[in-house]
Amino acid sequence: MKKTFTIIPLLIALFLCICTLGVVAQNGSVAGKVIDEKSEPVSYATIILKGTSYGANTDDDGMYEINNVPTGTYTLEISYVGYATYNESVTVTAGSVTANIQLKTDYLSLNEVVVVGYGTKQIKDLTGAVTSVGTKDFSKGAVTSPEALITGKVAGIEITSGGGAPGAGQKIKVRGGSSLNASNEPLIVIDGVPVDNATKSDGSSSIAGAANPLSLINPNDIENITVLKDASAAAIYGSRAANGVIIITTKKGLAGSKLGVQYTANASVSTIPEYLDVLTGDELRALIEETGNDKQKGLVGTENTDWQKAIYRTPLSLDQNLSFTGGIKDLPYRLTFGYLDEQGILLRSKLERTSVGLNMSPAFLDDHLKVQINTKFAYTNNFFTNNGAIGSSVNFDPTQPIYQANKFGGYFEWVDVAGNPNTLAPKNPLGLIYQKDDESNVYRFIGNVQFDYKMHFLPELRANLNLGTDLSRSDGTIFIPASAASDYTRKGQMKFYDQKKNNKLLEFYLNYNKDVESIHSNFDLTAGYSYQDWLRAEPITPFQNEDGIDVGYPDLNALGDTVTPGSIAFKTQNTLISFYGRLNYTLFDRYLLTATLRDDGSSRFSPDNRWGLFPSLALAWRISDEAFLKNSGALSNLKLRLGYGVTGQQDIFNDYPYIANYNQGESTAQYPFGDTYYNVLRPDGYDANIKWEETVTYNVGLDFGFANGRINGSIDVYKKLTDDLLAVIPVPAGTNFTNNILTNVGSLENQGIELTLNLIPFDSQNFTWEIGGNVSYNKNEITKLTKIQDPDDVGVLVGGISGGVGNTIQVQTVGYPTNTFYVYKQIYDEDGKPIEGEYEDLNGDGIINPDDRYRYEKPAPDVFMGLYTNFAWKNWNAGAQMRGSFGNYMYNNVNSQYAFYSNINGSKNYMANLPESYFSSEFVNPQYLSDFYIENASFIRLDNISLGYNFRNINNGSTSLKVTAIVQNVFVITDYSGLDPEISGGIDNNIYPRPRIFSINLSLNL
């Protein structure tokens, strides 16, 4: 059953009301043209009347017009990236005033304003490690979620997708992970609202039915993304800033600007770059004929089925967006509609997203009261195809047909002696896909209204009130028919799920900004209060078989009583209350100080440990503004930054970790009373004294620019020390708790270097070439893991793998990086081939047992980098973007699970296939824990290349059209033998392949 939101008709009605205001009488207007030093038009420059909300953007021909401006004298300010900000005084009368402007090149753009926590700052005044990326520099192509816009664009940020599925989740790490079991995701703030980007303990999205919470945000609506990397920049967000902060600002309208209509469309075709190399039907038959026994030979079929090609396709996807932008008197607006139909390369996988956004910025009381209204609504319909088909397509016998007349829906399946599906055998890949319907509907609304009042009696003092919400509603069904071999014993399955999430926000702050010319100083003081509350509820929904018979409930209440479907099975809530303050002080316009203090109280901790205090301090010195350098022709910018700060962490998967809690035990754990057996309740482990995880960060940075900014960049050196880690540790034997407990134990350290460099080698009237990139080095090490140090302690085993029962391949150990691989050291023969079952006796006790496992390599890279280049020649433009990752290793779980001879089987009445990699080992039996499967996964990936042409002067210059051809995931250079070397977590286990995408992008401006 689909739900409806009343917000869409409300937004449309509101927009229609806005349009009717166009009859308001005009007072005056300012119009003109903006050109550069080469007399070329500057497109999309921002023109505002300072101190008001009136403004406009230039069109493709550099033309602008600001209407309905009250008469008076104003300062006209023109800004655009790559040019010095221009100011000119204009007097508006009852008519039209012409102001033609010529901008001067300033490649460094130090006066550009970026959004930081609770305010904005010019780049030249930043004291922390802050990077801002605008629309001009966003990644091109078919982009589904916001974080993909800055992949490879920011030093110190590693963004790894969870695979190529439509709307797949992304893992974002800012300067390495700061935690073991709490979230390592940065805080994401959209138009002033910290949004729900949480993941569950298993890494899945906390918004049911959505693979990635951020896929519900339309990237086309985004104007700018700012990343706060160090604690001095991020500490204003206190307890949620340990992993950095990403601030997303959406596009807005400008008061007085004429109506602008833009239509964009991106049509794309996705292809699978390559298939895993496995034996063909003929090759498997030949192998069985040579090495197999009579039973295996009797099971071999006559077909040559390519199961991988059978489950993949070449789909067409379409992303369309329509926007209306303008400003009617004192009411700027932007209304957008978006529709995305993304089809996955794996059969039946898809994501459909419909989005609506409305931003309005009215001003009242002679611009003393400014109101910002931001609303974003999205509805997605998702079909999650059965990803188990990926592994099955590698493993299923290629000598068998896809279809067969039988009781399993017509798909060939291996059966036992009774004619039922063989529970040990892999299942038909096509049957897995077409005999499971997994569909969801997700609704999300993010909105806020922000009031900013500049006091009439004291203009330097502003009061800001921000009221916001982040709401999501999800429902879904999973259906497997009774004929499906994958669920034959339960006669199929029908599962329903439903989820409601409410996120409420109230923030208020005062800001005092005063220039004191007598002492050449500026004081910028902010003090505020924040309240945010999260509520999640999930009604009880039963599992049913195809006949409608309940076969179990996912949850029961605390007493194990019978429950009514639809009643609340699970409800959880947490609240965060904060007080914060910040001082920005500038002396002689070149000595800068920022001091921040935030006090957070989280309901996730007991009253004794609820509050955490998070300070930060940063200093900056604009060396290039000193008298001895100010007139230097070569040096454009030189600024030294020093920062220190403490941030916290409380984003964990349990809202009540300090309270005793009971869960239903295993279905086999029942207690008899008379003739009736009752489910038992089992206590969860808890720590009544659990508290904040804290990260201390030190940062030293140097920003530089030469040749009028044509060469510019920055260098940052940092160190992050995390104490009181929120970590899951094993519970000692003898307790009746569940296996693990979340508590504060241990310390973690990250230290690294970041370099960003941008160059403009050529910039002539007809041709411009720019090139830039970033390189990041990070070293991660666990420095403490137990409350009582034990040098013989192995650590905590993590990294579960497929194959065997309960096997893990990674470990957390003091002195090593997180998730270090923990394996046996393989012994090789004279020809370099691994000897099956032969491992080095590392402890010298004469036997091979778990004590001989050793720590070998890790999944995180030592160095990662991004590189881009752009060319512009007349109306043509082209570009390319590349990323690299070095020193990262991968456990090839595909090979360890399938590449051994006994996988063919035959003794258990079924056959399977082998990867070609089998011949590099010729193992007969599985060797899951051998370091043979740990491979160097360093890579260089060409993310995208593009070529575009801008059709100007259409319809006498009132219309422009830009057409761009783009190829994404062009190639990967790597020594890794699997399909993809870029997998978060370092375990390659049948990941959904990243597609290669060919797309055409159209952008039409009216």
Side-chain angles (χ1 to χ4, degrees):
M1 180 180 70
K2 292 190 176 183
K3 305 174 183 176
T4 59
F5 268 48
T6 59
I7 188 67
I8 294 180
L10 179 62
L11 293 178
I12 295 174
L14 185 58
F15 177 66
L16 293 176
C17 291
I18 292 171
C19 291
T20 63
L21 296 176
V23 299
V24 176
Q26 293 185 348
N27 295 310
S29 64
V30 183
K33 185 174 185 178
V34 180
I35 60 175
D36 61 16
E37 292 172 305
K38 296 173 280 188
S39 298
E40 290 293 312
V42 179
S43 306
Y44 311 115
T46 299
I47 299 97
I48 63 171
L49 300 180
K50 290 185 70 173
T52 76
S53 56
Y54 289 91
N57 293 109
T58 57
D59 60 19
D60 279 338
D61 295 312
M63 305 299 295
Y64 74 93
E65 184 176 359
I66 307 174
N67 297 310
N68 299 317
V69 181
T71 58
T73 301
Y74 301 90
T75 298
L76 190 70
E77 181 180 270
I78 301 94
S79 60
Y80 187 67
V81 175
Y83 296 92
T85 300
Y86 180 92
N87 289 279
E88 179 179 308
S89 179
V90 295
T91 299
V92 178
T93 59
S96 179
V97 177
T98 300
N100 295 320
I101 310 298
Q102 184 174 41
L103 298 181
K104 292 184 177 181
T105 303
D106 179 9
Y107 301 100
L108 205 50
S109 299
L110 295 177
N111 292 319
E112 182 184 352
V113 174
V114 298
V115 177
V116 294
Y118 308 106
T120 60
K121 297 290 286 184
Q122 287 185 314
I123 288 179
K124 67 179 183 178
D125 294 329
L126 295 173
T127 57
V130 178
T131 300
S132 184
V133 182
T135 51
K136 173 179 173 290
D137 298 312
F138 285 160
S139 297
K140 296 178 176 61
V143 175
T144 304
S145 57
E147 68 274 26
L149 294 171
I150 59 171
T151 300
K153 296 287 187 177
V154 181
I157 294 190
E158 184 185 8
I159 301 176
T160 308
S161 74
Q170 308 266 353
K171 291 292 183 183
I172 309 173
K173 284 188 178 181
V174 179
R175 294 183 165 182
S178 298
S179 187
L180 290 181
N181 293 106
S183 173
N184 277 308
E185 298 286 317
L187 173 68
I188 295 180
V189 181
I190 301 179
D191 287 333
V193 179
V195 299
D196 184 355
N197 187 44
T199 55
K200 297 180 181 178
S201 57
D202 61 1
S204 62
S205 168
S206 65
I207 296 182
N212 177 9
L214 292 179
S215 67
L216 291 146
I217 311 299
N218 188 346
N220 189 70
D221 291 337
I222 295 174
E223 177 76 24
N224 180 273
I225 298 178
T226 300
V227 184
L228 314 181
K229 294 186 286 188
D230 70 336
S232 65
I236 191 69
Y237 288 104
S239 65
R240 292 171 292 174
N243 300 303
V245 180
I246 295 179
I247 299 176
I248 297 175
T249 305
T250 58
K251 298 171 183 176
K252 309 290 192 301
L254 291 168
S257 60
K258 63 182 181 180
L259 173 65
V261 180
Q262 183 184 55
Y263 171 75
T264 63
N266 190 88
S268 61
V269 175
S270 301
T271 63
I272 183 168
E274 62 178 315
Y275 299 95
L276 196 68
D277 198 2
V278 298
L279 300 186
T280 65
D282 288 339
E283 290 170 338
L284 182 60
R285 274 187 291 268
L287 179 65
I288 295 300
E289 184 64 31
E290 179 182 351
T291 64
N293 55 40
D294 291 340
K295 189 160 189 177
Q296 288 174 316
K297 293 176 182 178
L299 292 172
V300 171
T302 59
E303 300 290 330
N304 261 302
T305 302
D306 191 323
W307 291 102
Q308 292 183 87
K309 289 185 178 179
I311 66 170
Y312 293 112
R313 62 182 176 179
T314 303
L316 174 67
S317 298
L318 184 62
D319 186 6
Q320 301 180 84
N321 293 274
L322 180 65
S323 66
F324 303 88
T325 307
I328 301 173
K329 199 171 175 59
D330 292 326
L331 184 57
Y333 62 85
R334 186 173 192 271
L335 176 66
T336 63
F337 301 93
Y339 176 73
L340 168 69
D341 179 9
E342 183 181 7
Q343 302 288 324
I345 57 173
L346 186 60
L347 289 171
R348 304 187 79 196
S349 59
K350 71 162 189 173
L351 164 66
E352 284 187 87
R353 180 181 66 209
T354 302
S355 61
V356 180
L358 176 61
N359 291 343
M360 298 185 296
S361 311
F364 307 93
L365 306 176
D366 295 327
D367 276 335
H368 278 261
L369 176 60
K370 296 181 179 180
V371 181
Q372 180 65 54
I373 302 170
N374 306 295
T375 59
K376 289 164 280 291
F377 170 79
Y379 160 71
T380 63
N381 173 252
N382 306 273
F383 194 97
F384 303 104
T385 197
N386 193 336
N387 283 4
I390 297 174
S392 187
S393 70
V394 173
N395 197 30
F396 209 86
D397 182 357
T399 70
Q400 304 301 332
I402 296 175
Y403 305 105
Q404 182 185 72
N406 57 27
K407 58 183 178 180
F408 311 122
Y411 297 98
F412 172 85
E413 299 286 359
W414 291 105
V415 297
D416 58 21
V417 293
N420 294 321
N422 187 328
T423 57
L424 300 174
K427 300 300 181 286
N428 187 308
L430 271 295
L432 289 173
I433 289 176
Y434 285 103
Q435 291 182 305
K436 180 179 181 181
D437 295 340
D438 185 351
E439 193 167 8
S440 74
N441 301 294
V442 184
Y443 308 80
R444 190 173 193 181
F445 174 79
I446 300 173
N448 69 313
V449 55
Q450 197 163 13
F451 303 90
D452 193 275
Y453 176 60
K454 182 171 61 176
M455 305 294 181
H456 279 77
F457 61 89
L458 186 62
E460 295 88 358
L461 181 64
R462 295 170 36 244
N464 188 287
L465 174 64
N466 184 20
L467 304 173
T469 188
D470 179 5
L471 308 175
S472 68
R473 303 289 184 265
S474 309
D475 63 74
T477 59
I478 300 174
F479 172 71
I480 301 175
S483 59
S486 60
D487 211 359
Y488 196 76
T489 57
R490 289 203 297 185
K491 296 184 178 180
Q493 181 188 136
M494 174 73 82
K495 178 187 176 182
F496 309 90
Y497 60 87
D498 198 351
Q499 184 192 74
K500 300 178 180 179
K501 301 191 78 173
N502 297 338
N503 173 0
K504 296 177 292 184
L505 172 72
L506 183 153
E507 290 186 322
F508 176 80
Y509 68 84
L510 293 171
N511 175 261
Y512 180 78
N513 192 315
K514 179 68 173 178
D515 286 318
V516 184
E517 296 183 3
S518 61
I519 57 173
H520 307 285
S521 299
N522 172 268
F523 294 87
D524 185 350
L525 291 163
T526 301
Y529 165 83
S530 175
Y531 166 88
Q532 195 162 11
D533 179 81
W534 296 263
L535 174 66
R536 175 165 62 100
E538 297 179 4
I540 188 75
T541 54
F543 289 97
Q544 297 177 334
N545 63 24
E546 194 180 37
D547 298 326
I549 300 173
D550 293 343
V551 293
Y553 288 90
D555 297 286
L556 294 177
N557 63 15
L559 299 178
D561 294 336
T562 301
V563 295
T564 302
S567 62
I568 297 298
F570 181 82
K571 185 176 182 180
T572 183
Q573 184 175 13
N574 76 86
T575 302
L576 186 68
I577 295 176
S578 310
F579 301 90
Y580 56 88
R582 178 176 59 203
L583 166 65
N584 288 314
Y585 175 69
T586 304
L587 179 63
F588 294 116
D589 203 34
R590 56 187 182 274
Y591 307 113
L592 311 171
L593 177 146
T594 301
T596 303
L597 187 65
R598 181 159 177 144
D599 197 15
D600 282 332
S602 172
S603 65
R604 283 177 164 146
F605 306 124
S606 72
D608 293 336
N609 296 309
R610 183 151 292 168
W611 291 90
L613 196 64
F614 305 101
S616 75
L617 180 68
L619 300 170
W621 175 23
R622 287 206 295 263
I623 305 172
S624 54
D625 284 350
E626 293 290 353
F628 63 91
L629 286 175
K630 198 163 188 177
N631 296 320
S632 171
L635 185 66
S636 310
N637 177 50
L638 188 63
K639 181 170 69 175
L640 176 66
R641 295 177 280 107
L642 304 174
Y644 160 85
V646 181
T647 50
Q649 174 65 281
Q650 52 90 43
D651 193 0
I652 50 182
F653 52 85
N654 183 357
D655 284 339
Y656 314 101
Y658 72 96
I659 299 174
N661 186 46
Y662 290 82
N663 274 323
Q664 179 187 352
E666 299 292 334
S667 58
T668 55
Q670 296 183 329
Y671 194 86
F673 279 98
D675 296 331
T676 305
Y677 285 80
Y678 294 89
N679 289 326
V680 298
L681 297 179
R682 188 176 185 182
D684 288 337
Y686 73 98
D687 181 357
N689 297 313
I690 195 168
K691 61 180 181 178
W692 299 93
E693 178 179 286
E694 292 189 351
T695 299
V696 178
T697 302
Y698 304 89
N699 193 95
V700 179
L702 184 69
D703 302 326
F704 57 86
F706 302 95
N708 196 29
R710 290 180 64 159
I711 303 172
N712 66 82
S714 64
I715 301 174
D716 280 271
V717 180
Y718 65 87
K719 188 170 187 177
K720 296 168 60 177
L721 305 171
T722 303
D723 287 318
D724 294 321
L725 281 170
L726 289 165
V728 174
I729 62 174
V731 176
T735 71
N736 64 340
F737 290 140
T738 50
N739 296 330
N740 299 299
I741 185 173
L742 178 67
T743 187
N744 295 99
V745 57
S747 304
L748 184 66
E749 179 180 299
N750 285 278
Q751 53 185 328
I753 303 173
E754 299 166 356
L755 171 64
T756 299
L757 186 62
N758 301 290
L759 310 172
I760 301 181
F762 295 99
D763 188 16
S764 63
Q765 184 165 352
N766 291 324
F767 178 69
T768 300
W769 175 30
E770 61 176 328
I771 185 171
N774 59 81
V775 179
S776 305
Y777 164 81
N778 186 79
K779 179 183 178 183
N780 169 277
E781 182 182 335
I782 299 172
T783 55
K784 184 180 178 183
L785 199 56
T786 56
K787 295 183 179 181
I788 300 175
Q789 293 288 67
D790 180 1
D792 297 323
D793 183 32
V794 170
V796 180
L797 298 177
V798 294
I801 60 173
S802 296
V805 178
N807 283 323
T808 59
I809 202 67
Q810 294 170 328
V811 68
Q812 315 287 25
T813 307
V814 173
Y816 292 86
T818 56
N819 301 319
T820 295
F821 295 110
Y822 192 50
V823 289
Y824 290 109
K825 191 172 184 62
Q826 183 69 53
I827 295 178
Y828 296 81
D829 63 20
E830 294 178 350
D831 297 324
K833 210 162 195 175
I835 303 173
E836 182 169 345
E838 294 290 328
Y839 305 110
E840 291 192 19
D841 180 13
L842 296 182
N843 65 355
D845 63 359
I847 58 174
I848 302 298
N849 60 23
D851 292 337
D852 292 302
R853 291 174 71 176
Y854 78 112
R855 296 157 190 86
Y856 175 60
E857 301 299 350
K858 77 297 187 233
D862 296 319
V863 176
F864 55 96
M865 50 83 70
L867 181 67
Y868 74 89
T869 186
N870 293 310
F871 304 89
W873 179 69
K874 295 185 177 180
N875 287 353
W876 290 93
N877 60 82
Q881 181 180 330
M882 181 178 290
R883 284 182 301 120
S885 180
F886 309 97
N888 51 298
Y889 282 73
M890 186 78 67
Y891 174 72
N892 194 327
N893 201 184
V894 176
N895 283 349
S896 69
Q897 188 179 1
Y898 301 130
F900 50 91
Y901 188 82
S902 62
N903 183 55
I904 297 177
N905 219 302
S907 63
K908 297 177 182 176
N909 296 314
Y910 74 88
M911 289 283 293
N913 200 10
L914 291 174
E916 282 283 352
S917 60
Y918 156 74
F919 295 104
S920 65
S921 67
E922 295 188 344
F923 286 154
V924 175
N925 296 306
Q927 309 294 312
Y928 298 118
L929 305 182
S930 170
D931 66 1
F932 175 73
Y933 296 112
I934 307 298
E935 300 184 40
N936 190 328
S938 300
F939 67 88
I940 295 176
R941 184 188 298 273
L942 183 58
D943 272 331
N944 64 66
I945 55 175
S946 63
L947 176 65
Y949 186 83
N950 199 346
F951 296 88
R952 301 178 186 268
N953 299 318
I954 302 175
N955 193 24
N956 295 322
S958 62
T959 302
S960 66
L961 172 66
K962 186 174 183 179
V963 181
T964 307
I966 306 163
V967 184
Q968 295 169 257
N969 193 19
V970 184
F971 63 76
V972 180
I973 301 173
T974 182
D975 289 333
Y976 180 61
S977 65
L979 284 181
D980 198 325
E982 189 178 7
I983 300 175
S984 178
I987 298 175
D988 181 1
N989 183 11
N990 302 317
I991 187 173
Y992 191 123
R994 287 180 179 85
R996 180 169 295 134
I997 303 174
F998 302 86
S999 61
I1000 295 291
N1001 184 276
L1002 305 178
S1003 180
L1004 177 65
N1005 291 277
L1006 303 175

